[in-house]
Amino acid sequence: MKTKHTHLIIIACCTLLAAVGCKPKPIGMSDIQSISGDRHIHVRAEGGAWVGPGEDKFTVKLTGHEVVIDRERVLVDKTIHAPVPAGTKKFEVIFDGVGLTVKGDGAMIMETPFNK
């Protein structure tokens, strides 16, 4: 027995599958550590994160943002935000989705809010 409403059923199924597949999926927390020479970085971030250690800098990619920590400064989204104290070896980057904190050798280097 054939139904005359096959095309309506197919459209309804496709619409339902598209709606379910388009919901954002929570990634959770990322916790990454990396070493470059005598420098160390620890990144804790809400959502996905990536760390690229370089000879003289760390590049951290977070959800919607990029942080570069070189020997002299911290850049967030290609804008200089703070100087890095000379000789800093251990960095901590914390991104909670609404704000970014960067510490060096346990001391605060910068803290900035992000608009959602």
Side-chain angles (χ1 to χ4, degrees):
M1 179 169 150
K2 281 192 164 184
T3 177
K4 294 180 181 179
H5 302 291
T6 305
H7 65 285
L8 292 176
I9 294 171
I10 291 171
I11 291 172
C13 288
C14 289
T15 303
L16 179 62
L17 290 173
V20 171
C22 291
K23 289 183 182 176
K25 295 175 178 85
I27 295 175
M29 292 293 290
S30 295
D31 194 336
I32 303 170
Q33 295 188 44
S34 184
I35 296 173
S36 178
D38 60 349
R39 300 174 75 197
H40 176 270
I41 189 166
H42 181 196
V43 177
R44 289 183 313 204
E46 181 178 298
W50 175 87
V51 175
E55 188 174 316
D56 60 348
K57 68 180 178 180
F58 288 108
T59 302
V60 179
K61 293 192 179 184
L62 306 165
T63 305
H65 301 284
E66 180 180 78
V67 180
V68 176
I69 302 171
D70 64 25
R71 295 205 180 268
E72 298 177 359
R73 61 191 177 203
V74 177
L75 291 91
V76 179
D77 298 330
K78 299 182 182 178
T79 301
I80 298 172
H81 273 263
V84 172
T88 303
K89 302 290 182 202
K90 291 183 82 173
F91 296 94
E92 183 177 12
V93 176
I94 303 163
F95 176 65
D96 64 5
V98 295
L100 173 71
T101 302
V102 178
K103 295 180 180 181
D105 292 336
M108 181 70 69
I109 293 178
M110 64 157 285
E111 189 171 33
T112 186
F114 288 126
N115 297 326
K116 278 196 167 188

